[in-house]
Amino acid sequence: MVSKVDSTTVESFNGNNIYNAKVLESFFKKLKDNESNNNQKINIVHIGDSHIQGDLMTNEIRKNLQRKFGNAGRGLVFPYQLAKTNGSYNERFRCNRVWETYRNIYPIRNYPVGLSGIGLWRDSGGFVLELNIKDPSYKFNSIKIITPKNEDMFDLSTASQTKFIETAEPKIIKHKIKKGEAISVIADKYNVSIAEIKRANSLKSNNIRAGRILKIPTNETQSRNIKTSEYVSLNMESDSYSHYYNSEKALDKIYLIPNKKASKFELNGIVLEKDSPGLIYSGIGVNGAKYSDYNKYPLFFEQLKALHPDMLVFSLGTNESYEKLESGNYIKQLREFISNIKAQNINVPIIVMTPPPSLLRKRPNTFIQNYTKQIIEIAQTDGFAVWDLYDEFGGMEGIRNLKSAKLIGPDWVHYSKKGYEKQGNLFSEAFLKAYDNFKLKK
């Protein structure tokens, strides 16, 4: 394999061709038709591992393609902060309660691990989950909530209203101690016991000093108004895949609150869309994930339909290499992954992105080299396209140059922000080049 990294810099990269791009023609036709009519939403879903979870590469691809084809929304988001892990910079989540969480990389359990590859759940209500959009270009008009079996577990709110509740509480008299005044005298004056005064004031002895204020409990009651905030539920609708809300006004903040009829709360993902045609680019990534981890959970494949994908992109292989999985077994897991998707009647074009170069415990990672070779060899037979990121980033020969160009991180596995953005730009270039070639042929 010829390296595309020269001896001086990695900045000279140009996006390579997408191999077997003919399988993308049905998708390219949708793009071309939408450029003419501009009346529909087109969905791309990119599935991967830690290279995808942080949304650095995918965010660059999203921005590039939406500049060309229109911004129809942010797509799938997930409250990674509640799962105590990293996520996209485009949105922030916070909640007043702690959630249980579990990832697909762990041994299989009967937990609600679905579309996002990470389960998130609570067995009681009392929570307010706030979603804030940081990038104004992703304000949304539509929000969809994805749950196991599409159960109605959450309500949505855009604002809270203040309520005052009137309560009755014991009346407390305040008494300022005079010089020479004993606690027994004060107790007699108000017809209460010394013990009651001591308990109300957390006194350990009968000693008191002049000038201090004592609280004197009484049998009388007084009314008091307590101020509370109550979130106003929006009118939501549902379809076969989600419960959703549509807003005429573009929103940058919304609250998820408990549905009063629900006894448990399980969240698999949130989809944000705009009231405009164009492209939606959703990323699904789990740190440490392999094809086999996604294959463990049927709920992932069932819920993938909720994103209505028109094209899929895969970015997995780094973690398989760390387990020293032979290329034959890697391909077996890739094929099983595709088979699980097709079993849900999701028959759309696929681009397999080869894993990027890395070192395996400071040595050349020949496993990724072998995966790349095998992916390309079976692409035509299995009917998917390939974008060779491994070759684009120089393969084994170019990894030192990646370091000197500050594109790869100190672990020689993960990439810098600059590195992931470079990958995103290269993929965008290759994709748009293949699309332009399609239009020229037609």
Side-chain angles (χ1 to χ4, degrees):
M1 188 172 291
V2 179
S3 170
K4 287 194 172 57
V5 181
D6 61 33
S7 59
T8 56
T9 179
V10 187
E11 297 300 326
S12 60
F13 280 163
N14 290 309
N16 195 6
N17 293 329
I18 290 180
Y19 175 68
N20 201 29
K22 65 183 180 181
V23 303
L24 306 177
E25 287 187 357
S26 61
F27 181 73
F28 287 158
K29 186 177 185 302
K30 282 187 179 181
L31 287 178
K32 187 172 182 293
D33 291 344
N34 208 44
E35 278 196 282
S36 302
N37 301 322
N38 200 29
N39 61 358
Q40 63 178 325
K41 297 182 190 296
I42 296 176
N43 289 278
I44 300 176
V45 181
H46 195 146
I47 304 163
D49 47 31
S50 56
H51 298 307
I52 304 304
Q53 181 177 313
D55 193 44
L56 293 172
M57 180 214 302
T58 42
N59 189 54
E60 203 68 17
I61 300 170
R62 183 182 301 116
K63 295 283 189 183
N64 290 336
L65 298 189
Q66 287 180 339
R67 274 192 288 269
K68 171 73 173 176
F69 302 110
N71 178 356
R74 171 65 177 84
L76 179 70
V77 298
F78 186 75
Y80 291 102
Q81 291 93 343
L82 274 61
K84 301 179 178 63
T85 185
N86 64 300
S88 173
Y89 290 97
N90 285 328
E91 56 279 333
R92 280 292 178 268
F93 292 85
R94 59 182 181 182
C95 189
N96 60 338
R97 296 288 185 271
V98 175
W99 291 68
E100 299 290 330
T101 185
Y102 199 77
R103 301 184 199 179
N104 63 6
I105 64 172
Y106 302 136
I108 191 165
R109 296 282 188 272
N110 187 28
Y111 294 142
V113 179
L115 182 61
S116 297
I118 302 175
L120 201 63
W121 71 93
R122 279 182 56 81
D123 294 328
S124 61
F127 62 85
V128 178
L129 198 170
E130 180 180 327
L131 163 60
N132 281 283
I133 300 302
K134 296 185 70 178
D135 186 337
S137 63
Y138 291 119
K139 288 184 177 182
F140 58 93
N141 297 92
S142 169
I143 176 170
K144 302 176 181 179
I145 309 299
I146 300 172
T147 59
K149 298 180 181 177
N150 199 20
E151 291 187 51
D152 193 5
M153 298 177 173
F154 300 91
D155 285 339
L156 291 168
S157 177
T158 54
S160 61
Q161 64 181 10
T162 300
K163 294 181 66 177
F164 291 92
I165 302 173
E166 186 174 312
T167 62
E169 58 183 33
K171 184 177 180 180
I172 301 291
I173 298 173
K174 293 182 178 179
H175 176 88
K176 187 174 183 179
I177 303 169
K178 299 175 184 176
K179 187 175 182 179
E181 196 171 31
I183 192 170
S184 57
V185 174
I186 297 171
D188 289 342
K189 178 179 179 179
Y190 292 104
N191 196 27
V192 296
S193 68
I194 293 173
E196 286 176 309
I197 293 177
K198 290 171 66 177
R199 186 163 50 249
N201 294 275
S202 301
L203 297 175
K204 294 182 179 179
S205 71
N206 291 350
N207 297 327
I208 57 176
R209 66 176 186 274
R212 177 175 175 175
I213 303 295
L214 286 180
K215 292 183 288 185
I216 310 298
T218 71
N219 293 325
E220 299 178 47
T221 60
Q222 61 185 5
S223 62
R224 181 186 175 192
N225 286 329
I226 299 176
K227 182 179 177 182
T228 65
S229 292
E230 183 178 274
Y231 287 85
V232 183
S233 296
L234 300 168
N235 293 322
M236 295 178 66
E237 300 178 70
S238 64
D239 56 24
S240 301
Y241 307 103
S242 66
H243 288 78
Y244 62 90
Y245 170 73
N246 292 323
S247 168
E248 292 184 5
K249 176 186 175 183
L251 304 173
D252 60 7
K253 180 188 291 188
I254 202 162
Y255 304 94
L256 275 72
I257 54 178
N259 182 306
K260 293 178 181 177
K261 295 179 181 178
S263 58
K264 61 179 180 178
F265 308 92
E266 301 171 347
L267 183 61
N268 296 119
I270 298 169
V271 182
L272 305 177
E273 298 182 5
K274 301 164 77 77
D275 271 354
S276 58
L279 188 136
I280 297 171
Y281 201 99
S282 294
I284 301 171
V286 181
N287 294 344
K290 308 179 293 294
Y291 281 115
S292 59
D293 294 316
Y294 286 101
N295 287 334
K296 288 186 296 193
Y297 287 94
L299 185 60
F300 169 81
F301 300 98
E302 293 168 18
Q303 291 183 334
L304 187 58
K305 292 182 291 186
L307 299 181
H308 306 286
D310 296 296
M311 188 180 81
L312 296 167
V313 184
F314 305 157
S315 291
L316 290 151
T318 297
N319 297 299
E320 284 90 341
S321 74
Y322 259 68
E323 291 191 356
K324 298 185 176 180
L325 185 71
E326 294 298 330
S327 59
N329 287 327
Y330 171 82
I331 294 299
K332 181 181 177 182
Q333 290 294 337
L334 166 59
R335 284 174 162 161
E336 182 180 335
F337 187 69
I338 294 173
S339 176
N340 287 334
I341 290 172
K342 290 185 175 180
Q344 296 295 325
N345 292 318
I346 303 173
N347 296 296
V348 300
I350 293 168
I351 300 176
V352 178
M353 189 180 291
T354 63
S358 65
L359 294 185
L360 180 59
R361 297 177 179 88
K362 298 183 180 180
R363 295 183 178 182
N365 191 338
T366 56
F367 288 92
I368 284 180
Q369 188 177 44
N370 292 335
Y371 298 165
T372 297
K373 182 181 178 183
Q374 289 288 306
I375 288 168
I376 294 171
E377 284 182 359
I378 70 166
Q380 288 196 11
T381 305
D382 287 39
F384 56 75
V386 179
W387 185 63
D388 194 352
L389 173 56
Y390 179 78
D391 190 45
E392 280 299 303
F393 259 39
M396 294 313 306
E397 296 83 2
I399 196 164
R400 299 291 170 184
N401 291 335
L402 293 170
K403 189 74 169 179
S404 62
K406 298 182 179 178
L407 296 183
I408 198 167
D411 63 358
W412 296 91
V413 175
H414 295 95
Y415 285 75
S416 64
K417 182 175 184 290
K418 180 182 175 184
Y420 283 123
E421 288 175 348
K422 190 72 180 177
Q423 292 175 13
N425 285 322
L426 286 171
F427 176 78
S428 303
E429 290 171 14
F431 181 84
L432 292 174
K433 181 179 178 182
Y435 176 61
D436 287 341
N437 288 338
F438 164 80
K439 289 196 295 183
L440 286 172
K441 289 179 184 176
K442 299 298 175 182

